[in-house]
Amino acid sequence: MFPSQILLKYHARLVSLRKDQTLFDEGARAVDYYQVAEGSVKMFIVSPDGQEFIQGIFGPGESFGEPALLGNFPYPGSAKAIEAGKIWKLAGDYFFEMLKENFDLHLKLTQVLCQRLRYKSMVLSEISSHDPDHRIYTLLQYYKSKNARPGEHGPMRIPYTRQQIADMSGLRVETVIRAVKRMEKEGKLALEGHKIVF
């Protein structure tokens, strides 16, 4: 999202993360801007019955949690490192100063937030009204469209585990496993070891 030299100019710190390290909990006050430098981070909520629902998985160059910072409301979910890595952490005051002084960065952030809103709208529609195969297919299609390089149309290796797909689609992991096997037989995807190729 934002170049490291810009983040450094506004006093961002590069922070190392351990696997499964929590960055913030649902309901905590938003005070910092976060951007992944290495590794990956998930934002999620836990239902009253204990089921985790992943709101998003963010990799290098992607930011997370900024709607709460911009809107001055508590985090609507928790954030945790999926793997060891590094994140940029920028204090809220410097974050707002950076946006005020760099309209192009402000516009870029607005575009990213609009794409996330589109994703959330799609997920809400899919979870409420479609069968498991369709939900999974739509998630895979979205990941591919988001991460494919311009002009790239071939199969893409999907980094998500079956559990992560279940947590993003509101399905049980057993349902995802059965649906993925069924979709492989139908030629909608391929499997390389435990990884999905779509």
Side-chain angles (χ1 to χ4, degrees):
M1 163 96 74
F2 300 138
S4 56
Q5 62 269 26
I6 292 282
L7 293 169
L8 284 168
K9 178 183 173 183
Y10 288 92
H11 311 286
R13 294 181 298 123
L14 192 58
V15 179
S16 294
L17 296 177
R18 300 178 315 277
K19 181 181 178 182
D20 295 326
Q21 182 176 341
T22 299
L23 286 105
F24 53 78
D25 290 310
E26 181 180 353
R29 184 171 163 256
V31 294
D32 296 307
Y33 167 80
Y34 296 96
Q35 181 175 305
V36 180
E38 297 173 16
S40 57
V41 172
K42 65 179 177 180
M43 277 199 70
F44 63 97
I45 57 172
V46 178
S47 69
D49 63 356
Q51 184 176 355
E52 186 176 287
F53 180 75
I54 295 177
Q55 298 171 315
I57 294 178
F58 305 94
E62 295 181 308
S63 59
F64 58 94
E66 64 274 28
L69 183 60
L70 288 164
N72 193 28
F73 54 81
Y75 288 117
S78 300
K80 183 182 282 191
I82 295 174
E83 57 190 323
K86 295 180 180 178
I87 57 153
W88 288 104
K89 187 175 180 181
L90 177 63
D93 290 344
Y94 289 122
F95 171 70
F96 288 113
E97 182 181 329
M98 180 182 72
L99 293 182
K100 286 176 187 172
E101 294 177 359
N102 299 276
F103 178 76
D104 56 326
L105 299 181
H106 200 299
L107 181 60
K108 188 175 184 178
L109 177 62
T110 302
Q111 291 168 337
V112 166
L113 294 177
C114 287
Q115 286 300 322
R116 276 199 222 144
L117 189 58
R118 177 177 167 233
Y119 169 76
K120 289 194 186 280
S121 175
M122 176 206 70
V123 167
L124 184 61
S125 170
E126 296 301 313
I127 286 176
S128 64
S129 58
H130 290 285
D131 63 71
D133 292 24
H134 183 85
R135 292 187 205 184
I136 294 166
Y137 187 86
T138 303
L139 278 173
L140 299 178
Q141 202 169 35
Y142 176 80
Y143 176 84
K144 188 172 180 177
S145 69
K146 179 181 163 197
N147 292 285
R149 293 184 179 94
E152 185 178 30
H153 301 291
M156 178 179 282
R157 194 177 172 116
I158 307 297
Y160 302 144
T161 65
R162 306 299 191 276
Q163 184 64 59
Q164 288 169 336
I165 292 171
D167 293 342
M168 286 187 282
S169 62
L171 299 168
R172 299 184 67 76
V173 69
E174 298 82 6
T175 304
V176 171
I177 291 167
R178 285 194 299 271
V180 165
K181 286 180 183 173
R182 188 167 51 246
M183 291 167 75
E184 180 191 25
K185 285 179 185 171
E186 294 170 357
K188 293 179 180 175
L189 55 80
L191 295 175
E192 288 181 2
H194 293 292
K195 292 294 180 184
I196 295 171
V197 177
F198 181 76

